[in-house]
């Protein structure tokens, strides 16, 4: 029996790639196990967005360099970035495969099984997207669907265009067919995925763009919630807001990474929009009757970022009042245009800026979340906190809402099977910076 173990680092695209890899391997007779010790094949699906992320996989490989009789494989963004150098750094690795070569993964494994030795899949020269009917999803209610792979934006700091190759959209019909299949299997929430979903164009009919696909996906019978990540502000058109306005099933939450509040820094980052252009999009979103929540990504300490540039980012946070912010210290990445700009901002200064920004955002989030006290929100129930006995749900704005249910007449309590996957109305009674708490307003 061929047993495999896989550990996944990085973004949602990587998580979903792993689901597809797992499905592909299971189809070939492999069985997933949950510790590397039990496995014949140990795979790491890696991320190289920041240096720290990249270091993790080399730590892992170092930990098990003496393991005998196993095949080690590195997949994903570090695989693509470092290529065959990985074989030198970690000689026990026998398989290195970038995401653009996953359609060949099965063949590469056969090559190793039959011939011993090593195999690499590192070509980025492809128009294909990685699709398989065998995707193995763990979450029974919420499913990812890839709509576009790769990235052509070349932001100055970013490795993704080098690790995931050029932009390629999946066929419109194929996306919608997967949405219908998932609905048929009982999924009620889908999340459309891509590094830049709004660059989507149907390869068979380039007139068909992201807004249309989002609307068509939102009208899939049985689907109650549609999310999408990530949007690049440059290509974020008004038509997307119109689709959100018209379709209750499109969640009222948008992730719109800004990276910096300073137009000067945005230009140095090659983001292709100014602060004002970004703010115009925020105004469209804020003007929507759907009460759209906003989240973003921010990098502090990009080369040349002055204290004044940083203050502009802080002011932007105040102006937009994001519901969630993912913030990072700038990390120099190999081969990127920004690599040549050096890395002048000292580590301690980056840490100070990050801490100040996070403190400010914590207060903003507390304020935003407190504004929801007293409202009734629909949640999708997806967990149970054993220690507090509270159910864990998510609102359409993607806030975590922990809640209790009204006592039953006979004193019994609802079971997990009854509760998970249900949509319930919950009154918000308390708010913290990262979550809400409340009570279900109907008997369950
Ligand atoms: N395609 C998405 C981003 C994917 S990477 C987009 O354009 O929004 C996720 C986030 O990681 C980025 O938004 C950015 O904030 C951060 N990031 C990317 N490269 C980085 C680097 N070199 N150093 C620090 N953060 C980085
Ligand atoms: Fe990276 Fe920019 Fe592409 Fe996002 S849009 S993946 S930040 S190059
Ligand atoms: Fe990381 Fe690659 Fe995603 S670098 S963030 S896993 S696209």
């Amino acid at each position: 029996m061929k047993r495999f173990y896989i550990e996944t680092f990085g973004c949602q695209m990587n998580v979903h790639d792993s689901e597809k890899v797992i499905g592909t391997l299971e189809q070939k007779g492999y069985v997933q196990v949950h510790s590397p010790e039990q496995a014949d094949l140990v795979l790491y699906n890696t991320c190289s967005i920041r240096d720290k992320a990249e270091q993790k996989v080399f730590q892992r490989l170092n930990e098990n360099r003496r393991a005998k009789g196993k095949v080690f494989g590195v997949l994903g963004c570090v695989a693509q970035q470092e290529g065959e150098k990985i074989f030198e750094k970690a000689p026990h690795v026998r398989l290195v495969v970038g995401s653009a070569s996953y359609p060949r993964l099965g063949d590469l494994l056969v090559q190793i099984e039959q011939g011993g030795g090593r195999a690499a899949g590192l070509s980025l020269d492809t128009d294909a997207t990685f699709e398989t009917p065998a995707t193995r999803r763990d979450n029974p209610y919420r499913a990812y669907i890839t709509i576009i792979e790769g990235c052509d934006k070349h932001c100055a700091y970013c490795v993704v265009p080098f690790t995931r190759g050029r932009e390629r959209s999946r066929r419109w019909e194929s996306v919608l067919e997967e949405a219908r299949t998932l609905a048929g299997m009982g999924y009620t929430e889908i999340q459309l995925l891509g590094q830049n979903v709004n660059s989507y164009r149907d390869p068979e009919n380039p007139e068909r763009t992201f807004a249309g696909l989002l609307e068509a996906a939102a009208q899939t019978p049985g689907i109650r919630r549609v999310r999408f990540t990530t949007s690049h502000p440059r290509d974020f058109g008004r038509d997307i807001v119109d689709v959100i306005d018209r379709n209750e099933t499109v969640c009222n939450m948008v992730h719109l990474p800004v990276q910096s509040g300073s137009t000067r820094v945005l230009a140095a980052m090659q983001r292709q929009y100014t602060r004002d252009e970004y703010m115009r999009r925020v105004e469209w979103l804020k003007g929507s009757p759907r009460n759209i929540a906003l989240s973003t990504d921010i990098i502090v300490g990009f080369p040349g970022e002055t204290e004044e540039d940083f203050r502009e980012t802080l002011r932007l946070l105040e102006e937009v009042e994001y519901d969630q912010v993912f913030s990072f210290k700038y990390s120099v990445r190999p081969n990127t245009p920004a690599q040549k700009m050096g890395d002048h901002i000292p580590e301690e200064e980056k840490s100070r800026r990050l801490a100040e920004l996070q403190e400010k955002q914590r207060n903003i989030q507390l304020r935003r979340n407190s504004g929801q006290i007293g409202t009734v929100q629909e949640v999708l129930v997806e967990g149970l906190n054993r220690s507090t006995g509270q159910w864990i749900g998510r609102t359409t704005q993607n806030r975590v809402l922990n809640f209790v249910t009204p006592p039953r007449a006979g004193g019994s309590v609802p079971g997990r099977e009854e509760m998970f996957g249900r949509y319930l109305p919950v009154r918000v009674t308390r708010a913290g910076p990262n979550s809400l708490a409340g009570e279900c307003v109907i008997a369950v």
Side-chain angles (χ1 to χ4, degrees):
M1 175 155 23
K2 302 181 283 186
R3 289 158 305 184
F4 74 99
Y5 168 81
I6 186 166
E7 181 175 359
T8 306
F9 305 90
C11 62
Q12 287 138 319
M13 324 311 141
N14 254 20
V15 172
H16 187 40
D17 280 347
S18 284
E19 293 180 333
K20 294 188 227 179
V21 166
I22 294 169
T24 308
L25 291 174
E26 285 181 343
Q27 238 182 2
K28 300 203 180 298
Y30 284 81
V31 175
Q32 189 178 12
V33 293
H34 295 279
S35 82
E37 290 74 31
Q38 299 170 305
D40 312 306
L41 171 66
V42 178
L43 298 173
Y44 296 109
N45 188 4
T46 61
C47 171
S48 66
I49 201 79
R50 285 167 290 273
D51 187 55
K52 247 197 212 148
E54 177 173 346
Q55 289 320 317
K56 270 189 210 150
V57 64
F58 288 108
Q59 263 165 30
R60 282 287 189 286
L61 289 171
N62 196 31
E63 282 162 18
N64 50 39
R65 66 186 182 283
R66 288 187 224 291
K68 293 272 174 292
K70 297 184 197 298
V71 171
F72 284 91
V74 178
L75 312 182
C77 291
V78 176
Q80 191 66 50
Q81 181 189 294
E82 296 296 300
E84 301 198 2
K85 276 190 279 179
I86 295 177
F87 294 137
E88 291 158 33
K89 285 194 192 171
H92 59 306
V93 171
R94 290 177 54 195
L95 178 72
V96 172
V97 188
S99 67
S101 303
Y102 290 159
R104 291 180 50 221
L105 186 63
D107 294 344
L108 293 168
L109 280 168
V110 171
Q111 200 179 310
I112 289 185
E113 278 167 21
Q114 291 177 348
R118 289 167 164 169
L122 294 166
S123 169
L124 283 179
D125 186 21
T126 178
D127 291 329
T129 51
F130 179 36
E131 288 167 39
T132 161
T135 307
R136 235 283 313 285
R137 294 176 166 92
D138 278 335
N139 186 318
Y141 324 107
R142 185 150 35 98
Y144 294 129
I145 302 184
T146 306
I147 65 165
I148 179 169
E149 292 183 12
C151 180
D152 288 346
K153 294 289 180 292
H154 291 281
C155 301
Y157 49 80
C158 186
V159 287
V160 173
F162 308 100
T163 64
R164 296 209 162 232
R166 62 170 180 265
E167 261 170 29
R168 45 210 194 273
S169 294
R170 176 173 172 189
R171 281 185 314 107
W172 174 284
E173 253 324 304
S174 166
V175 172
L176 294 181
E177 196 183 292
E178 186 167 17
R180 287 192 293 268
T181 305
L182 290 166
M185 291 163 75
Y187 286 91
T188 56
E189 179 174 321
I190 55 178
Q191 185 158 357
L192 307 181
L193 281 189
Q195 287 298 348
N196 285 302
V197 286
N198 41 10
S199 305
Y200 176 86
R201 284 189 187 276
D202 179 6
E204 287 174 350
N205 180 357
E207 306 276 284
R208 290 170 142 180
T209 60
F210 174 64
L213 183 67
L214 178 63
E215 183 148 47
Q219 290 168 358
T220 309
I223 295 299
R224 295 182 63 160
R225 285 184 174 180
V226 182
R227 302 185 188 280
F228 54 97
T229 31
T230 297
S231 300
H232 190 290
R234 191 196 72 181
D235 300 332
F236 190 90
R238 176 81 244 188
D239 52 349
I240 301 174
V241 188
D242 294 340
V243 168
I244 301 175
D245 288 351
R246 279 199 298 268
N247 295 273
E248 275 286 323
T249 43
V250 180
C251 290
N252 51 347
M253 104 125 279
V254 170
H255 182 62
L256 198 61
V258 66
Q259 313 300 356
S260 167
S262 153
T263 293
R264 214 180 56 80
V265 173
L266 289 172
M269 288 176 164
Q270 296 170 30
R271 284 291 285 181
Q272 308 178 62
Y273 54 85
T274 63
R275 181 195 173 105
D276 287 349
E277 283 162 350
Y278 182 87
M279 285 309 294
R280 197 167 321 139
R281 283 149 183 81
V282 170
E283 278 155 28
W284 296 339
L285 289 159
K286 296 223 169 223
S288 158
R290 292 280 319 276
N291 183 21
I292 299 173
L294 266 170
S295 62
T296 203
D297 292 348
I298 287 176
I299 298 175
V300 299
F302 187 75
E305 184 190 70
T306 63
E307 182 63 23
E308 178 48 29
D309 292 321
F310 173 62
R311 299 272 137 211
E312 279 198 57
T313 300
L314 294 180
R315 283 195 290 273
L316 182 96
L317 291 194
E318 280 293 347
E319 240 173 274
V320 178
E321 292 206 291
Y322 290 104
D323 297 275
Q324 202 174 5
V325 171
F326 303 91
S327 48
F328 313 99
K329 290 191 268 186
Y330 172 65
S331 166
V332 188
R333 306 309 294 131
N335 308 320
T336 58
Q339 189 184 17
K340 292 185 230 38
M341 299 176 193
D343 185 18
H344 332 279
I345 318 272
E347 203 50 32
E348 315 78 74
E349 177 57 19
K350 285 185 197 166
S351 301
R352 187 195 65 75
R353 289 182 191 179
L354 189 70
E356 183 174 352
L357 184 139
Q358 290 180 342
E359 177 58 25
K360 174 170 277 298
Q361 181 55 27
R362 201 182 138 83
N363 292 326
I364 294 173
Q365 268 169 229
L366 186 58
R367 201 157 76 214
R368 299 277 305 159
N369 285 347
S370 301
Q372 302 224 324
I373 293 175
T375 63
V376 173
Q377 304 285 332
E378 185 181 66
V379 299
L380 166 58
V381 187
E382 50 181 35
L384 172 64
N385 182 332
R386 283 184 189 282
S387 58
T388 62
Q390 285 177 322
W391 299 101
I392 305 167
R394 242 168 229 282
T395 71
T396 108
Q397 293 187 325
N398 211 27
R399 286 183 162 87
V400 173
L401 174 44
N402 301 303
F403 67 98
V404 292
T405 52
R408 284 176 168 173
S412 70
V413 285
R416 299 158 72 95
E417 316 68 43
E418 274 174 84
M419 290 289 282
F420 285 11
R422 275 179 85 174
Y423 288 81
L424 292 172
V426 175
R427 185 181 315 283
V428 180
T429 53
R430 276 177 298 131
N434 298 314
S435 65
L436 307 169
E439 296 157 4
C440 181
V441 296
I442 59 166
V444 291

